[in-house]
Amino acid sequence: MGILNVTPDSFSDGGRYASPEAAVARGRQLAAAGADLVDVGGESTRPGAHPVPVDEELRRVVPVVAALAADGICVSVDTRRPEVAAAAIEAGAEVVNDVSGLADPAMRRVCAETGVGVVVMHMRGEPATMQDDPSYDDVVAEVAAFLAERTARAEGDGIERDRIVVDPGIGFGKTGEHNLALLADLGAIVALGHPVLVGVSRKRFLGAILAEGGFERPPADRDVASAAAAVAAVLAGASIVRVHDVVVSREATLVADAIVHARRVKGRR
Ligand code: HH2
């Protein structure tokens, strides 16, 4: 999944693709580089970000979704708002990526009625405050329980099980240690029985690991670290990785995927 932030303030690429023309060109580039789907978002959910008005989110997202879908590119829309999801689906989006885990019943209704794929992500709190001292007794068990509850609710509201992907929400109300625990124990999320999406690309905890090892790297220089984390996620059973640099992560995860496949084939012998 290639990341396309049509925003002025995203943490690593804010402002680069804020005009529709630049965004569409970037979306085409991501697809050409090997992204199986392009995730179009019009609201930053970085720590400390505040919500944008719904009209503004619609204005940013819909023309870009329409242009990419018209090219035959599989598009997901990264939104928490049912109005934006509905308009994006109308414009051709095939997947709704909701960082609130389909919290809004109206969002579940839109997804149920339109038959799209959904990504149900775990977030503790809201982006504006989620990094203010997040704490868990057992982060892996609590995130898994949250995702089990939200996917059951989605199914209860008419979203078929095979349309649901889950995501532990790396960096959303979590310390670096929480993020690493979730990646180390991703099997507990895979065991829920849904395809797992992991979004680690350029995130702060990678910057902290690099800094500790003597490498000060701003977000745009964390693509090797991002690919390493993506490989770890694939080896642990993730099916989709959400990335800024598609080429680097695609090459790295192709190798990881081949290893996972060889392991499964051997297991059957
Ligand atoms: N991370 C971000 C946004 N959307 N969606 C899913 N499913 N999983 C994630 O981990 C995830 C996500 C945050 O990253 P980014 O889009 O790069 O930045 P921003 O929120 O500042 O636009």
Side-chain angles (χ1 to χ4, degrees):
M1 172 187 271
I3 300 171
L4 181 51
N5 289 317
V6 194
T7 57
D9 58 343
S10 288
F11 78 95
S12 95
D13 54 0
R16 285 193 67 186
Y17 314 111
S19 77
E21 297 73 24
V24 171
R26 175 63 178 168
R28 289 182 177 138
Q29 215 175 47
L30 292 168
D36 292 317
L37 72 167
V38 172
D39 191 39
V40 180
E43 177 186 59
S44 172
T45 48
R46 73 183 192 287
H50 291 282
V52 299
V54 66
D55 286 356
E56 176 62 16
E57 195 182 342
L58 283 165
R59 196 189 61 74
R60 292 177 185 176
V61 161
V62 174
V64 177
V65 170
L68 296 178
D71 278 2
I73 295 170
C74 183
V75 176
S76 57
V77 59
D78 185 349
T79 186
R80 299 182 278 170
R81 296 216 171 90
E83 301 90 328
V84 176
I89 294 165
E90 181 74 29
E94 295 175 61
V95 177
V96 171
N97 173 24
D98 181 354
V99 299
S100 78
L102 303 184
D104 185 337
M107 182 64 116
R108 297 198 292 279
R109 212 157 36 240
V110 167
C111 294
E113 284 168 3
T114 53
V116 286
V118 300
V119 179
V120 174
M121 197 194 81
H122 174 273
M123 171 165 61
R124 168 74 59 89
E126 287 289 314
T129 53
M130 66 189 177
Q131 291 309 105
D132 300 349
D133 197 22
S135 82
Y136 301 81
D137 289 328
D138 179 340
V139 65
V140 176
E142 287 170 54
V143 168
F146 171 97
L147 293 173
E149 195 265 317
R150 289 297 176 88
T151 54
R153 201 189 287 182
E155 283 184 64
D157 285 348
I159 302 172
E160 290 87 0
R161 187 175 173 79
D162 64 2
R163 288 200 272 130
I164 304 174
V165 170
V166 294
D167 180 342
I170 298 299
F172 285 84
K174 294 162 190 101
T175 63
E177 270 178 36
H178 295 141
N179 294 329
L180 289 172
L182 285 161
L183 290 169
D185 222 347
L186 199 67
I189 309 296
V190 174
L192 295 170
H194 293 274
V196 172
L197 186 156
V198 171
V200 287
S201 192
R202 299 183 179 174
K203 285 184 178 172
R204 193 177 296 184
F205 79 109
L206 297 176
I209 295 168
L210 291 171
E212 200 159 312
F215 300 95
E216 288 294 338
R217 294 284 185 260
D221 292 339
R222 295 178 192 157
D223 289 325
V224 173
S226 302
V231 163
V234 168
L235 291 176
S239 301
I240 307 171
V241 288
R242 183 179 179 278
V243 303
H244 295 88
D245 186 326
V246 170
V247 174
V248 170
S249 281
R250 179 100 202 171
E251 289 185 14
T253 54
L254 275 172
V255 176
D257 209 35
I259 294 167
V260 168
H261 185 72
R263 192 196 281 159
R264 286 189 186 137
V265 169
K266 195 167 170 223
R268 263 189 256 122
R269 275 193 205 123

